Amino acid sequence: MNFDHEDLLRMNRVLRHRLRNFASGMKTSVSFLSKELEGRLSPSEMEYFPLIANECDGVTEMTNRMSQLFDEIPSGDESTLASVLEKTVAGLRGRFPTARIRVEAGTVGSLRVASKQNLVLCLGEIVANALESAPNGEVSVSCSGENGRLVIEVCDTGPGIKPEEQGNLFLPFYTTKARHLGIGLTIVKKIIGQLGGSIEADNADGGGFRAVLALPAN
């Protein structure tokens, strides 16, 4: 039996829906059980309940990421670049409290860009990947304007990417990191393309990973 693209998308949506319901039901049941059995089980036995709840959260997060990959993403509101950068950095502080993120917006900080929420998602994904790769947790984000387009460059101080990885970075489900789905950069490329922009990734001249986003700017 042959399935066309629309058939696969429908099956994908059904699977995500069922997985979300399963994870939600399981987490609710675990919560009830932990309250019911509190005081009747040993502390070591009670530790299993939060572990199961965390795995349920992981399944929910996976289905949300799959939705970003396969479903149409709403465009969102316009915003200034400075506001996008501020929200991106603020969103990463909880995950990387000791990280050093250097941001240079310069004169283009007042430029307006489309879809603030989606651009924050994309920059957050790229900077998070860079922070995970940089041994000393330092990432720079520099912005400039070129020929009516906004250019955002993200660089880290890590080892960079290997030659054999270059052509695979934006492929779905390709990853070199444990517990990663390998769809983050694929989602970024999809959203940036939807916004009329482009993204490239390679090694910076001085070493380390570099991602360059080019977007229409008002």
Side-chain angles (χ1 to χ4, degrees):
M1 181 180 295
N2 295 323
F3 298 103
D4 61 22
H5 181 66
E6 290 300 321
D7 291 329
L8 294 174
L9 286 179
R10 280 192 294 271
M11 287 188 284
N12 185 290
R13 293 189 191 101
V14 170
L15 178 60
R16 280 181 274 145
H17 178 70
R18 295 297 298 271
L19 282 173
R20 283 195 191 99
N21 286 346
F22 172 81
S24 176
M26 179 65 73
K27 187 175 181 180
T28 301
S29 299
V30 165
S31 177
F32 286 144
L33 279 173
S34 65
K35 293 176 182 178
E36 180 70 23
L37 298 175
E38 188 174 7
R40 297 161 59 183
L41 297 179
S42 67
S44 60
E45 290 172 323
M46 290 296 294
E47 290 178 357
Y48 287 109
F49 293 115
L51 291 176
I52 297 172
N54 287 338
E55 288 301 319
C56 291
D57 289 338
V59 172
T60 300
E61 174 63 18
M62 180 189 69
T63 59
N64 291 337
R65 301 274 282 172
M66 296 289 282
S67 295
Q68 292 172 337
L69 179 62
F70 290 103
D71 295 344
E72 188 69 20
I73 298 176
S75 59
D77 299 328
E78 270 193 4
S79 177
T80 62
L81 174 62
S83 178
V84 168
L85 294 171
E86 181 180 359
K87 187 170 183 179
T88 300
V89 174
L92 292 169
R93 288 302 182 195
R95 294 173 58 190
F96 305 95
T98 62
R100 294 186 297 276
I101 307 174
R102 296 187 293 108
V103 178
E104 298 178 8
T107 59
V108 298
S110 60
L111 290 178
R112 299 194 67 81
V113 292
S115 192
K116 175 180 179 178
Q117 180 179 352
N118 289 331
L119 192 52
V120 168
L121 186 157
C122 290
L123 283 176
E125 186 72 40
I126 294 171
V127 175
N129 280 342
L131 288 171
E132 290 175 349
S133 300
N136 58 357
E138 182 173 343
V139 171
S140 65
V141 182
S142 58
C143 310
S144 61
E146 298 178 9
N147 301 321
R149 292 174 74 79
L150 172 65
V151 178
I152 305 173
E153 183 174 278
V154 179
C155 295
D156 67 34
T157 54
I161 54 178
K162 300 176 181 178
E164 60 269 23
E165 298 172 354
Q166 179 72 51
N168 299 325
L169 289 176
F170 297 104
L171 292 178
F173 307 109
Y174 175 82
T175 181
T176 58
K177 300 175 182 177
R179 298 186 65 83
H180 278 231
L181 287 177
I183 60 176
L185 289 180
T186 311
I187 292 171
V188 170
K189 186 171 184 178
K190 170 190 172 180
I191 294 176
I192 295 300
Q194 185 176 311
L195 296 176
S198 62
I199 178 172
E200 297 179 356
D202 56 14
N203 288 324
D205 292 338
F209 173 78
R210 176 180 63 183
V212 180
L213 289 76
L215 292 162
N218 298 323

